[in-house]
Amino acid sequence: MRPEAVDAMLPYLSDCFANPSGGHAAAQAAKAALEEAREVVAGALGADPSEVVITAGGTEADNLAIEGAARAAAAAGRGRGVVTTAFEHKGVLAACDRLDHEGFRVNRVGVGRDGIVDLEALAEALDADTVVVSVMLVNNEVGTIQPLDEVAAVVTTKAAGAVLHTDAVQAVPWLDVAAATAHGQLVSISAHKFGGPKGTGALVARDRVPLQPLLEGGGQERGMRAGTVNVAGAVAMAAALRVTAQQRDAEVARVRTLRDRLLDGILAEVPDVFTNGDPRRKVAGNCHVGIRGVEAEALLVALDRAGVYAAAGSSCSSGAAEPSHVLAAMGLSRSDALASIRLSLGFASTEADVDRALEVLPDAVRRLRAHALAV
Ligand SMILES: Cc1ncc(COP(=O)(O)O)c(C=O)c1O
Protein backbone atom coordinates (compact mmCIF):
# COMPACT_ATOMS: atom_id res chain seq x y z
CA MET A 1 0.00 0.00 0.00
CA ARG A 2 1.01 3.59 -0.45
CA PRO A 3 2.19 4.99 2.90
CA GLU A 4 -0.28 7.86 2.54
CA ALA A 5 -3.12 5.33 2.39
CA VAL A 6 -1.88 3.45 5.46
CA ASP A 7 -1.53 6.71 7.42
CA ALA A 8 -4.98 7.87 6.38
CA MET A 9 -6.55 4.56 7.37
CA LEU A 10 -5.07 4.01 10.83
CA PRO A 11 -7.21 6.49 12.82
CA TYR A 12 -10.35 4.77 11.50
CA LEU A 13 -9.13 1.44 12.82
CA SER A 14 -8.52 2.86 16.29
CA ASP A 15 -9.78 6.15 17.75
CA CYS A 16 -12.47 6.87 15.19
CA PHE A 17 -14.07 3.46 14.99
CA ALA A 18 -17.75 4.42 15.19
CA ASN A 19 -20.40 3.25 12.73
CA PRO A 20 -21.04 6.01 10.16
CA SER A 21 -24.76 5.19 10.17
CA GLY A 22 -25.12 6.16 13.84
CA GLY A 23 -26.34 9.45 15.26
CA HIS A 24 -23.83 10.36 17.99
CA ALA A 25 -20.80 12.60 17.60
CA ALA A 26 -18.30 9.77 17.02
CA ALA A 27 -20.56 8.28 14.35
CA GLN A 28 -20.87 11.65 12.71
CA ALA A 29 -17.07 11.99 12.60
CA ALA A 30 -16.87 8.62 10.82
CA LYS A 31 -19.66 9.70 8.49
CA ALA A 32 -17.83 12.96 7.69
CA ALA A 33 -14.66 11.02 6.83
CA LEU A 34 -16.65 8.63 4.65
CA GLU A 35 -18.32 11.46 2.76
CA GLU A 36 -15.01 13.25 2.28
CA ALA A 37 -13.57 10.04 0.83
CA ARG A 38 -16.59 9.71 -1.44
CA GLU A 39 -15.98 13.23 -2.75
CA VAL A 40 -12.39 12.39 -3.63
CA VAL A 41 -13.46 9.22 -5.47
CA ALA A 42 -16.22 11.13 -7.26
CA GLY A 43 -13.81 13.89 -8.28
CA ALA A 44 -11.26 11.41 -9.65
CA LEU A 45 -13.89 9.51 -11.61
CA GLY A 46 -15.85 12.48 -12.94
CA ALA A 47 -19.01 11.76 -10.95
CA ASP A 48 -21.19 13.38 -8.35
CA PRO A 49 -20.59 12.04 -4.81
CA SER A 50 -24.20 10.79 -4.80
CA GLU A 51 -23.24 8.53 -7.71
CA VAL A 52 -20.48 6.66 -5.84
CA VAL A 53 -21.27 3.32 -4.17
CA ILE A 54 -18.48 2.03 -1.91
CA THR A 55 -18.04 -1.72 -2.41
CA ALA A 56 -15.81 -4.50 -1.13
CA GLY A 57 -13.64 -4.35 -4.24
CA GLY A 58 -13.69 -4.61 -8.01
CA THR A 59 -15.47 -7.94 -8.25
CA GLU A 60 -18.42 -6.69 -6.24
CA ALA A 61 -18.56 -3.46 -8.26
CA ASP A 62 -18.60 -5.49 -11.50
CA ASN A 63 -21.29 -7.86 -10.19
CA LEU A 64 -23.45 -4.99 -8.94
CA ALA A 65 -23.11 -3.03 -12.17
CA ILE A 66 -23.99 -5.88 -14.49
CA GLU A 67 -26.48 -7.93 -12.51
CA GLY A 68 -27.98 -4.85 -10.84
CA ALA A 69 -28.51 -2.89 -14.06
CA ALA A 70 -29.69 -5.89 -16.10
CA ARG A 71 -32.23 -7.03 -13.49
CA ALA A 72 -33.54 -3.48 -12.99
CA ALA A 73 -33.95 -3.03 -16.74
CA ALA A 74 -35.67 -6.38 -17.18
CA ALA A 75 -38.02 -5.67 -14.26
CA ALA A 76 -38.97 -2.42 -15.99
CA GLY A 77 -39.67 -4.35 -19.21
CA ARG A 78 -36.86 -2.64 -21.12
CA GLY A 79 -35.21 -5.79 -22.49
CA ARG A 80 -33.01 -8.77 -21.60
CA GLY A 81 -29.92 -8.43 -23.80
CA VAL A 82 -26.44 -8.25 -22.27
CA VAL A 83 -23.28 -7.76 -24.32
CA THR A 84 -19.70 -8.10 -23.11
CA THR A 85 -16.36 -9.24 -24.46
CA ALA A 86 -14.70 -12.64 -24.23
CA PHE A 87 -11.66 -11.32 -22.38
CA GLU A 88 -13.18 -9.51 -19.42
CA HIS A 89 -12.17 -10.20 -15.85
CA LYS A 90 -14.02 -13.11 -14.24
CA GLY A 91 -15.88 -10.61 -12.06
CA VAL A 92 -17.68 -9.53 -15.23
CA LEU A 93 -17.85 -12.89 -17.00
CA ALA A 94 -19.29 -14.72 -13.98
CA ALA A 95 -21.96 -12.04 -13.54
CA CYS A 96 -22.87 -12.47 -17.22
CA ASP A 97 -22.97 -16.26 -16.82
CA ARG A 98 -25.40 -15.87 -13.94
CA LEU A 99 -27.63 -13.64 -16.04
CA ASP A 100 -27.43 -16.23 -18.80
CA HIS A 101 -28.84 -18.81 -16.37
CA GLU A 102 -31.60 -16.38 -15.43
CA GLY A 103 -32.78 -16.23 -19.03
CA PHE A 104 -30.99 -13.09 -20.21
CA ARG A 105 -29.57 -13.17 -23.72
CA VAL A 106 -25.81 -12.81 -23.24
CA ASN A 107 -23.41 -12.17 -26.08
CA ARG A 108 -19.62 -12.30 -25.53
CA VAL A 109 -17.95 -10.61 -28.48
CA GLY A 110 -14.45 -11.44 -29.67
CA VAL A 111 -11.18 -9.56 -29.47
CA GLY A 112 -8.37 -9.28 -31.99
CA ARG A 113 -4.86 -10.75 -31.74
CA ASP A 114 -3.83 -7.22 -30.70
CA GLY A 115 -5.93 -7.44 -27.53
CA ILE A 116 -8.50 -4.88 -28.65
CA VAL A 117 -12.25 -5.51 -28.75
CA ASP A 118 -13.68 -6.22 -32.21
CA LEU A 119 -15.88 -3.16 -32.76
CA GLU A 120 -17.66 -4.66 -35.75
CA ALA A 121 -18.61 -7.76 -33.80
CA LEU A 122 -19.74 -5.51 -30.97
CA ALA A 123 -21.96 -3.50 -33.29
CA GLU A 124 -23.48 -6.70 -34.65
CA ALA A 125 -24.24 -7.99 -31.16
CA LEU A 126 -26.17 -4.88 -30.13
CA ASP A 127 -29.87 -4.37 -30.71
CA ALA A 128 -32.90 -2.63 -29.24
CA ASP A 129 -33.25 -5.41 -26.62
CA THR A 130 -29.75 -4.76 -25.21
CA VAL A 131 -29.89 -3.30 -21.71
CA VAL A 132 -26.29 -3.62 -20.49
CA VAL A 133 -22.97 -3.45 -22.35
CA SER A 134 -19.76 -4.15 -20.41
CA VAL A 135 -16.35 -3.49 -21.96
CA MET A 136 -13.26 -3.11 -19.78
CA LEU A 137 -11.04 -0.05 -20.05
CA VAL A 138 -7.71 -1.84 -19.59
CA ASN A 139 -7.26 -5.59 -19.85
CA ASN A 140 -5.78 -7.09 -16.70
CA GLU A 141 -3.49 -9.55 -18.44
CA VAL A 142 -2.12 -7.90 -21.56
CA GLY A 143 -2.68 -4.28 -20.50
CA THR A 144 -4.39 -3.12 -23.68
CA ILE A 145 -6.47 0.06 -23.52
CA GLN A 146 -9.87 -0.40 -25.11
CA PRO A 147 -11.36 2.28 -27.41
CA LEU A 148 -14.15 3.17 -25.00
CA ASP A 149 -15.26 6.33 -26.83
CA GLU A 150 -15.81 4.26 -29.97
CA VAL A 151 -17.59 1.58 -27.96
CA ALA A 152 -19.88 4.26 -26.49
CA ALA A 153 -20.61 5.65 -29.95
CA VAL A 154 -21.57 2.20 -31.25
CA VAL A 155 -23.79 1.63 -28.22
CA THR A 156 -25.55 4.97 -28.73
CA THR A 157 -26.19 4.14 -32.38
CA LYS A 158 -27.24 0.52 -32.04
CA ALA A 159 -28.65 0.20 -28.52
CA ALA A 160 -29.59 3.65 -27.31
CA GLY A 161 -31.44 2.28 -24.29
CA ALA A 162 -28.48 0.30 -22.96
CA VAL A 163 -26.21 1.37 -20.13
CA LEU A 164 -22.47 1.11 -20.66
CA HIS A 165 -20.40 -0.40 -17.86
CA THR A 166 -16.63 -0.36 -17.86
CA ASP A 167 -14.34 -2.27 -15.55
CA ALA A 168 -11.68 0.41 -14.98
CA VAL A 169 -9.94 -1.58 -12.23
CA GLN A 170 -6.62 -1.76 -14.11
CA ALA A 171 -6.79 1.76 -15.52
CA VAL A 172 -6.54 4.04 -12.47
CA PRO A 173 -2.73 4.19 -12.16
CA TRP A 174 -2.25 4.94 -15.84
CA LEU A 175 -5.20 6.85 -17.28
CA ASP A 176 -7.46 9.76 -16.45
CA VAL A 177 -10.45 7.52 -15.78
CA ALA A 178 -12.90 10.45 -15.59
CA ALA A 179 -12.07 11.47 -19.15
CA ALA A 180 -11.78 7.92 -20.49
CA THR A 181 -15.17 6.85 -19.13
CA ALA A 182 -17.08 10.09 -19.70
CA HIS A 183 -19.51 8.39 -22.09
CA GLY A 184 -20.30 5.42 -19.83
CA GLN A 185 -22.73 5.24 -16.95
CA LEU A 186 -21.20 2.54 -14.73
CA VAL A 187 -17.51 2.39 -13.74
CA SER A 188 -15.81 -0.11 -11.40
CA ILE A 189 -12.56 0.50 -9.54
CA SER A 190 -10.61 -1.41 -6.88
CA ALA A 191 -8.34 0.24 -4.31
CA HIS A 192 -5.62 -2.41 -4.22
CA LYS A 193 -4.71 -1.71 -7.83
CA PHE A 194 -3.50 1.79 -6.98
CA GLY A 195 -1.91 1.49 -3.56
CA GLY A 196 -5.05 1.26 -1.42
CA PRO A 197 -6.23 -1.66 0.69
CA LYS A 198 -7.59 -4.94 -0.62
CA GLY A 199 -11.30 -5.50 -0.19
CA THR A 200 -12.34 -1.93 -0.99
CA GLY A 201 -13.58 -0.53 -4.26
CA ALA A 202 -16.29 1.59 -5.75
CA LEU A 203 -18.92 1.59 -8.42
CA VAL A 204 -19.82 4.86 -10.07
CA ALA A 205 -23.45 4.83 -11.21
CA ARG A 206 -23.99 7.99 -13.24
CA ASP A 207 -27.23 9.45 -14.51
CA ARG A 208 -29.28 7.72 -11.80
CA VAL A 209 -29.01 4.37 -13.59
CA PRO A 210 -31.48 2.04 -11.85
CA LEU A 211 -29.67 -0.80 -10.06
CA GLN A 212 -31.14 -3.73 -8.19
CA PRO A 213 -28.90 -4.19 -5.12
CA LEU A 214 -27.04 -7.44 -4.57
CA LEU A 215 -26.94 -6.87 -0.81
CA GLU A 216 -30.11 -5.90 1.00
CA GLY A 217 -30.56 -4.88 4.58
CA GLY A 218 -29.99 -1.54 6.25
CA GLY A 219 -30.31 0.55 3.12
CA GLN A 220 -26.79 2.01 3.25
CA GLU A 221 -25.26 3.57 0.13
CA ARG A 222 -28.66 4.95 -0.85
CA GLY A 223 -30.14 1.48 -0.94
CA MET A 224 -27.68 0.22 -3.54
CA ARG A 225 -25.38 -1.67 -1.18
CA ALA A 226 -26.57 -2.59 2.30
CA GLY A 227 -24.12 -3.21 5.13
CA THR A 228 -22.01 -1.03 7.39
CA VAL A 229 -19.56 0.80 5.16
CA ASN A 230 -15.84 0.11 5.49
CA VAL A 231 -14.88 3.64 6.54
CA ALA A 232 -11.17 2.92 7.01
CA GLY A 233 -11.01 1.26 3.59
CA ALA A 234 -12.84 4.12 1.89
CA VAL A 235 -10.60 6.73 3.52
CA ALA A 236 -7.47 4.83 2.50
CA MET A 237 -8.80 4.32 -1.03
CA ALA A 238 -9.36 8.06 -1.34
CA ALA A 239 -5.86 8.83 -0.05
CA ALA A 240 -4.32 6.40 -2.54
CA LEU A 241 -6.42 7.82 -5.35
CA ARG A 242 -5.40 11.38 -4.52
CA VAL A 243 -1.66 10.56 -4.62
CA THR A 244 -2.08 8.41 -7.72
CA ALA A 245 -3.79 11.25 -9.58
CA GLN A 246 -1.21 13.82 -8.45
CA GLN A 247 1.73 11.67 -9.54
CA ARG A 248 0.17 9.99 -12.56
CA ASP A 249 1.90 11.82 -15.39
CA ALA A 250 5.36 11.52 -13.85
CA GLU A 251 4.77 7.89 -12.84
CA VAL A 252 3.54 6.86 -16.26
CA ALA A 253 6.70 8.28 -17.84
CA ARG A 254 8.98 6.73 -15.19
CA VAL A 255 7.36 3.30 -15.28
CA ARG A 256 7.20 3.25 -19.09
CA THR A 257 10.96 3.79 -19.23
CA LEU A 258 11.48 0.94 -16.78
CA ARG A 259 9.09 -1.34 -18.64
CA ASP A 260 10.71 -0.61 -22.00
CA ARG A 261 14.14 -1.36 -20.57
CA LEU A 262 12.82 -4.63 -19.17
CA LEU A 263 11.18 -5.64 -22.43
CA ASP A 264 14.14 -4.58 -24.60
CA GLY A 265 16.45 -6.47 -22.27
CA ILE A 266 14.37 -9.65 -22.53
CA LEU A 267 14.13 -9.37 -26.32
CA ALA A 268 17.88 -8.83 -26.57
CA GLU A 269 18.89 -11.64 -24.22
CA VAL A 270 16.31 -14.34 -24.89
CA PRO A 271 15.75 -15.78 -28.37
CA ASP A 272 12.31 -16.76 -29.66
CA VAL A 273 10.24 -14.37 -27.58
CA PHE A 274 6.97 -12.75 -28.70
CA THR A 275 4.89 -10.03 -27.06
CA ASN A 276 1.19 -10.09 -26.26
CA GLY A 277 -1.09 -7.07 -26.63
CA ASP A 278 -0.50 -4.17 -29.02
CA PRO A 279 2.56 -2.38 -27.55
CA ARG A 280 1.28 1.02 -28.78
CA ARG A 281 -2.05 0.59 -27.04
CA LYS A 282 -1.11 -0.81 -23.67
CA VAL A 283 -0.56 0.79 -20.27
CA ALA A 284 2.93 1.67 -19.10
CA GLY A 285 3.19 -1.01 -16.40
CA ASN A 286 2.46 -4.05 -18.52
CA CYS A 287 5.12 -6.37 -19.96
CA HIS A 288 3.60 -9.56 -21.35
CA VAL A 289 5.82 -11.96 -23.22
CA GLY A 290 5.66 -15.47 -24.57
CA ILE A 291 8.85 -17.51 -24.40
CA ARG A 292 8.68 -20.43 -26.80
CA GLY A 293 9.91 -23.77 -25.58
CA VAL A 294 9.33 -22.85 -21.95
CA GLU A 295 6.38 -23.65 -19.73
CA ALA A 296 5.27 -20.47 -18.01
CA GLU A 297 4.47 -22.29 -14.78
CA ALA A 298 8.01 -23.72 -14.56
CA LEU A 299 9.52 -20.33 -15.36
CA LEU A 300 7.43 -18.66 -12.65
CA VAL A 301 8.75 -21.12 -10.08
CA ALA A 302 12.35 -20.45 -11.17
CA LEU A 303 11.77 -16.68 -11.01
CA ASP A 304 10.08 -16.95 -7.63
CA ARG A 305 13.09 -18.82 -6.19
CA ALA A 306 15.26 -15.91 -7.33
CA GLY A 307 12.91 -13.34 -5.76
CA VAL A 308 11.22 -12.19 -8.97
CA TYR A 309 7.46 -12.42 -8.62
CA ALA A 310 5.69 -12.71 -11.95
CA ALA A 311 2.38 -14.15 -13.11
CA ALA A 312 0.89 -16.20 -15.89
CA GLY A 313 -2.63 -15.73 -17.06
CA SER A 314 -3.15 -19.42 -16.72
CA SER A 315 -4.65 -20.89 -13.61
CA CYS A 316 -3.93 -24.32 -12.28
CA SER A 317 -6.97 -26.50 -11.88
CA SER A 318 -6.76 -30.18 -10.98
CA GLY A 319 -3.04 -30.18 -11.67
CA ALA A 320 -3.32 -29.17 -15.32
CA ALA A 321 -2.36 -25.67 -16.37
CA GLU A 322 -5.17 -24.21 -18.45
CA PRO A 323 -4.39 -21.40 -20.89
CA SER A 324 -5.72 -18.01 -19.92
CA HIS A 325 -9.16 -17.17 -21.31
CA VAL A 326 -7.76 -13.77 -22.31
CA LEU A 327 -4.99 -15.21 -24.48
CA ALA A 328 -7.37 -17.83 -25.88
CA ALA A 329 -9.85 -15.07 -26.81
CA MET A 330 -7.02 -13.23 -28.57
CA GLY A 331 -6.43 -16.32 -30.69
CA LEU A 332 -3.11 -17.53 -29.28
CA SER A 333 -2.41 -21.21 -29.74
CA ARG A 334 -2.55 -23.30 -26.58
CA SER A 335 1.23 -23.72 -26.53
CA ASP A 336 1.91 -20.00 -27.01
CA ALA A 337 -0.60 -19.16 -24.28
CA LEU A 338 1.02 -21.64 -21.90
CA ALA A 339 4.44 -20.10 -22.65
CA SER A 340 3.33 -16.55 -21.77
CA ILE A 341 4.09 -14.62 -18.61
CA ARG A 342 3.24 -11.18 -17.28
CA LEU A 343 5.76 -8.94 -15.53
CA SER A 344 3.85 -6.04 -14.00
CA LEU A 345 5.35 -2.77 -12.86
CA GLY A 346 3.82 -0.10 -10.67
CA PHE A 347 4.50 2.82 -8.38
CA ALA A 348 6.76 0.71 -6.19
CA SER A 349 8.90 -0.64 -9.05
CA THR A 350 12.54 0.46 -9.22
CA GLU A 351 15.55 0.33 -11.54
CA ALA A 352 16.98 -2.35 -9.24
CA ASP A 353 13.87 -4.52 -9.78
CA VAL A 354 14.39 -4.39 -13.53
CA ASP A 355 18.11 -5.13 -13.12
CA ARG A 356 17.26 -8.16 -11.00
CA ALA A 357 14.66 -9.46 -13.47
CA LEU A 358 17.11 -9.08 -16.34
CA GLU A 359 19.79 -10.86 -14.34
CA VAL A 360 17.54 -13.79 -13.47
CA LEU A 361 15.12 -14.34 -16.36
CA PRO A 362 17.46 -15.06 -19.33
CA ASP A 363 19.41 -17.51 -17.23
CA ALA A 364 16.28 -19.27 -15.98
CA VAL A 365 15.03 -19.59 -19.58
CA ARG A 366 18.37 -21.03 -20.72
CA ARG A 367 18.27 -23.66 -17.99
CA LEU A 368 14.64 -24.61 -18.65
CA ARG A 369 15.23 -24.89 -22.39
CA ALA A 370 18.34 -27.02 -21.85
CA HIS A 371 16.39 -29.25 -19.49
CA ALA A 372 13.51 -29.58 -21.98
CA LEU A 373 16.00 -30.66 -24.68
CA ALA A 374 17.60 -33.17 -22.34
CA VAL A 375 14.37 -35.04 -21.50
C1 LIG B 1 -9.76 -5.92 -14.51
C2 LIG B 1 -10.11 -6.40 -13.14
N1 LIG B 1 -11.39 -6.36 -12.75
C3 LIG B 1 -11.76 -6.76 -11.53
C4 LIG B 1 -10.84 -7.22 -10.62
C5 LIG B 1 -11.33 -7.68 -9.28
O1 LIG B 1 -11.03 -6.75 -8.29
P1 LIG B 1 -10.99 -7.22 -6.76
O2 LIG B 1 -9.76 -8.04 -6.62
O3 LIG B 1 -10.92 -5.94 -5.99
O4 LIG B 1 -12.24 -7.97 -6.50
C6 LIG B 1 -9.49 -7.28 -10.98
C7 LIG B 1 -8.50 -7.82 -10.03
O5 LIG B 1 -7.51 -8.39 -10.38
C8 LIG B 1 -9.12 -6.85 -12.27
O6 LIG B 1 -7.85 -6.89 -12.67
Side-chain angles (χ1 to χ4, degrees):
M1 281 175 67
R2 287 184 180 272
E4 295 88 345
V6 176
D7 290 347
M9 175 175 215
L10 289 177
Y12 298 94
L13 298 172
S14 50
D15 298 340
C16 192
F17 192 69
N19 185 331
S21 304
H24 50 65
Q28 289 308 303
K31 167 96 176 145
L34 174 62
E35 293 315 318
E36 204 182 306
R38 196 188 305 283
E39 272 177 36
V40 172
V41 174
L45 300 180
D48 188 82
S50 67
E51 297 172 327
V52 174
V53 182
I54 305 293
T55 66
T59 301
E60 188 195 325
D62 285 344
N63 280 212
L64 174 59
I66 294 165
E67 294 178 38
R71 288 183 191 135
R78 289 197 286 109
R80 296 184 76 80
V82 174
V83 176
T84 188
T85 79
F87 81 156
E88 299 293 316
H89 187 270
K90 294 283 170 78
V92 165
L93 292 176
C96 291
D97 289 348
R98 178 164 295 279
L99 292 173
D100 218 340
H101 290 130
E102 289 175 14
F104 283 84
R105 206 167 42 83
V106 179
N107 212 319
R108 301 159 188 84
V109 301
V111 293
R113 180 66 180 82
D114 54 2
I116 304 290
V117 59
D118 180 340
L119 286 169
E120 277 176 30
L122 179 75
E124 264 171 44
L126 300 170
D127 59 30
D129 186 54
T130 310
V131 288
V132 175
V133 180
S134 183
V135 177
M136 68 200 325
L137 181 51
V138 172
N139 181 266
N140 50 306
E141 289 187 29
V142 293
T144 43
I145 303 166
Q146 303 305 305
L148 218 58
D149 284 349
E150 289 169 66
V151 168
V154 176
V155 172
T156 308
T157 316
K158 301 276 312 239
V163 295
L164 175 59
H165 166 250
T166 190
D167 175 335
V169 166
Q170 291 286 338
V172 176
W174 316 113
L175 305 177
D176 176 350
V177 174
T181 64
H183 303 299
Q185 287 78 39
L186 298 166
V187 183
S188 307
I189 64 164
S190 175
H192 71 106
K193 302 299 182 187
F194 50 87
K198 291 169 186 61
T200 306
L203 176 68
V204 163
R206 296 193 182 109
D207 309 335
R208 310 247 165 264
V209 169
L211 289 179
Q212 268 191 19
L214 300 179
L215 301 180
E216 292 176 282
Q220 289 91 341
E221 299 297 279
R222 294 177 319 288
M224 285 192 274
R225 201 269 184 190
T228 304
V229 183
N230 177 358
V231 177
V235 167
M237 172 164 65
L241 197 47
R242 199 184 267 131
V243 186
T244 300
Q246 278 163 0
Q247 299 180 352
R248 183 179 296 116
D249 291 348
E251 275 295 278
V252 166
R254 185 186 74 87
V255 174
R256 178 173 288 130
T257 306
L258 287 181
R259 191 272 314 271
D260 288 350
R261 189 159 75 78
L262 175 63
L263 180 61
D264 291 347
I266 294 171
L267 293 172
E269 291 294 320
V270 185
D272 216 3
V273 170
F274 59 94
T275 58
N276 293 315
D278 186 341
R280 294 156 306 169
R281 301 175 76 176
K282 65 162 63 189
V283 292
N286 183 279
C287 176
H288 204 294
V289 290
I291 304 175
R292 292 205 170 95
V294 166
E295 274 176 27
E297 294 296 334
L299 180 56
L300 295 184
V301 172
L303 294 177
D304 185 13
R305 284 205 191 107
V308 175
Y309 305 147
S314 55
S315 59
C316 253
S317 54
S318 58
E322 278 309 311
S324 116
H325 72 282
V326 170
L327 300 180
M330 285 166 53
L332 265 75
S333 68
R334 185 182 164 85
S335 61
D336 278 356
L338 289 175
S340 293
I341 65 163
R342 169 166 49 98
L343 296 150
S344 301
L345 298 90
F347 69 87
S349 301
T350 63
E351 293 279 354
D353 295 334
V354 172
D355 290 343
R356 180 73 185 143
L358 288 176
E359 203 177 290
V360 166
L361 189 137
D363 195 45
V365 171
R366 263 190 296 276
R367 276 186 288 112
L368 287 169
R369 280 181 172 157
H371 179 73
L373 281 179
V375 289

